[in-house]
Amino acid sequence: MRRNQVAVVGAAETTELGVIPNMSQIQLHADAALNAIADAGLKLSDIDGLATGVETPQQIAHYLGITPTWVDGTSVGGCSFMLHVRHAAAAIEAGLCKTVLITHAESGKSNIGRTPRMIGPDSLNGQFELPYGVSTPASMFPIPVLRYMKTHGITHEQIAMVAVVQREWAAKNPRATMKAPITVKDVLNSRMIAYPFRILQCCLVTDGGGALILTSAERAKDFPGKPVYILGTGESVETPMVSQMQTFDSSRAFRVAGPLAFREAGITHEDVDHLMIYDAFAHLPLYGLGDLGFMPHEETGKFIADGHTRPGGKLPLNTNGGGLSYMHSGMYGMYALQESVRQMRGIAPAQVQGANISVCHGVGGMFAASGTIIFTNEK
């Protein structure tokens, strides 16, 4: 994909975030989609491309009453929406469609009309993990995290600091679920979930959704909102957590998707003004900083503990509060994308002044997939 040829011209989340017991999952999809379409100044009839995850494209298209000529139902976990952006940009460049709606929603807390998630008995997870009690993220991540800590000298206090800093960002965001300040002591004294994770190091469980509208950069100038251009994209998948038990301390998918996006964008790490890293658990920003090449893994914990990612720091990270404090409906990638777009539009609640390049990096399927999107507000 060529850089700066496709732009985001509409972006919005559901009208409410948090606990929404009066709306089903598909209604949340529609709410987010209609909000994004309105943000772009469009009508439903203008949409000729559709991408979504978990729910199928045909369900969403039928519910919205549209007949797209291009669809994408890629569903690889929480970073699916980063992959949708990449695929949609390629489709627009290829002339397969002109205006793509990417939508996501989950009734993660209220479970109203939520699509059930199952581990197939013949899958790798079903054969080699589930029989031993490894069935949820909280039970999958602890072993590799403990190895990561041992290998790279990361402390419990440093991982706790991730949650502390992201709560500082959330305090600036009126839509964040959790805003009250916390300390490292608060994190380490909070309820144990699965060692070494305590509840303040685990993502929230909420309801909500979001949607994006993409079109060509040439058309973008005719839309009412400030366009945000796609500078670079990358994606990768690998065998789920089973294969990663070989190394414990890195993600091959991260190490493929990130460099692909950076090469396509033609930027270096020093060019990055703003960074979003999927944070279902507090250790993920550490993995991301290391595997994306910002610094050696041994330096990631100290980098955050020293305040470099907090408000006023040199690398603002997860400025909406992240999955730990902003919201997390089960698949967080869409909300990270929304914050990158807000930052590039200059309208984020905790706006990073002068930010021109934002890197948005996601993970899916317990490290089995990764997607990276690099945005800019300069054509």
Side-chain angles (χ1 to χ4, degrees):
M1 193 193 85
R2 295 175 297 162
R3 47 185 279 167
N4 284 20
Q5 297 304 302
V6 175
V8 176
V9 294
E13 294 169 336
T14 46
T15 306
E16 298 179 53
L17 294 174
V19 181
I20 315 172
N22 59 324
M23 295 182 74
S24 69
Q25 184 159 291
I26 200 165
Q27 287 177 309
L28 293 171
H29 271 275
D31 183 37
L34 293 174
N35 287 344
I37 289 169
D39 181 62
L42 294 172
K43 305 183 297 296
L44 275 168
S45 57
D46 296 316
I47 303 299
D48 62 354
L50 174 65
T52 193
V54 182
E55 299 284 355
T56 64
Q58 62 266 34
Q59 287 175 308
I60 302 301
H62 177 72
Y63 196 75
L64 293 175
I66 59 176
T67 307
T69 59
W70 175 88
V71 297
D72 181 8
T74 300
S75 191
V76 292
C79 68
S80 299
F81 319 102
M82 283 80 169
L83 274 61
H84 292 160
V85 170
R86 189 178 200 229
H87 301 170
I92 290 168
E93 268 208 87
L96 302 180
C97 52
K98 292 182 179 180
T99 310
V100 175
L101 165 66
I102 302 171
T103 180
H104 166 64
E106 284 181 291
S107 183
K109 177 71 172 179
S110 300
N111 283 303
I112 309 299
R114 188 182 187 187
T115 305
R117 295 187 184 179
M118 299 178 62
I119 298 175
D122 58 343
S123 67
L124 291 175
N125 308 71
Q127 294 180 73
F128 302 111
E129 295 178 352
L130 194 58
Y132 301 95
V134 181
S135 60
T136 66
S139 60
M140 287 182 175
F141 284 142
I143 293 176
V145 169
L146 289 169
R147 180 58 181 266
Y148 182 83
M149 295 171 68
K150 179 178 176 63
T151 300
H152 299 298
I154 303 298
T155 68
H156 291 281
E157 289 76 12
Q158 288 172 338
I159 296 180
M161 193 64 182
V162 174
V164 172
V165 170
Q166 292 190 193
R167 186 62 65 86
E168 292 178 6
W169 286 111
K172 298 175 176 293
N173 193 333
R175 278 167 66 86
T177 302
M178 307 294 286
K179 304 182 188 68
I182 54 175
T183 65
V184 168
K185 184 177 179 180
D186 292 332
V187 175
L188 296 181
N189 286 336
S190 63
R191 178 163 57 91
M192 182 67 71
I193 300 300
Y195 186 81
F197 293 129
R198 297 180 179 274
I199 194 165
L200 290 178
Q201 295 169 306
C202 303
C203 66
L204 300 166
V205 181
T206 59
D207 306 325
L212 297 171
I213 306 290
L214 275 64
T215 192
S216 68
E218 182 179 356
R219 294 181 67 216
K221 62 181 182 293
D222 298 325
F223 285 74
K226 183 177 182 179
V228 175
Y229 302 99
I230 298 171
L231 196 59
T233 65
E235 66 180 285
S236 182
V237 296
E238 64 169 313
T239 307
M241 188 65 77
V242 174
S243 71
Q244 293 160 45
M245 294 302 178
Q246 301 168 15
T247 59
F248 286 94
D249 58 1
S250 189
S251 167
R252 288 177 298 193
F254 277 25
R255 300 197 311 271
V256 171
L260 277 174
F262 273 80
R263 285 196 297 272
E264 188 174 273
I267 65 169
T268 66
H269 294 85
E270 288 71 28
D271 296 319
V272 177
D273 302 309
H274 173 255
L275 180 61
M276 296 297 293
I277 297 178
Y278 196 121
D279 63 318
F281 290 82
H283 70 292
L284 282 169
L286 305 184
Y287 274 57
L289 287 170
D291 282 338
L292 288 174
F294 282 92
M295 64 200 67
H297 282 284
E298 288 76 11
E299 299 176 12
T300 57
K302 186 175 186 300
F303 185 81
I304 291 179
D306 286 347
H308 296 305
T309 64
R310 71 187 342 155
K314 63 182 179 181
L315 184 59
L317 169 66
N318 292 348
T319 52
N320 61 352
L324 299 179
S325 289
Y326 179 61
M327 76 92 64
H328 193 302
S329 57
M331 298 169 70
Y332 174 73
M334 174 58 76
Y335 311 104
L337 289 165
Q338 293 285 332
E339 177 65 9
S340 279
V341 170
R342 286 192 292 263
Q343 288 287 344
M344 292 299 93
R345 283 179 157 182
I347 60 171
Q351 181 62 43
V352 177
Q353 297 304 313
N356 296 318
I357 294 178
S358 175
V359 173
C360 188
H361 178 76
V363 62
M366 313 307 138
F367 281 110
S370 180
T372 307
I373 306 296
I374 301 178
F375 295 102
T376 183
N377 49 25
E378 297 180 344
K379 181 68 172 73

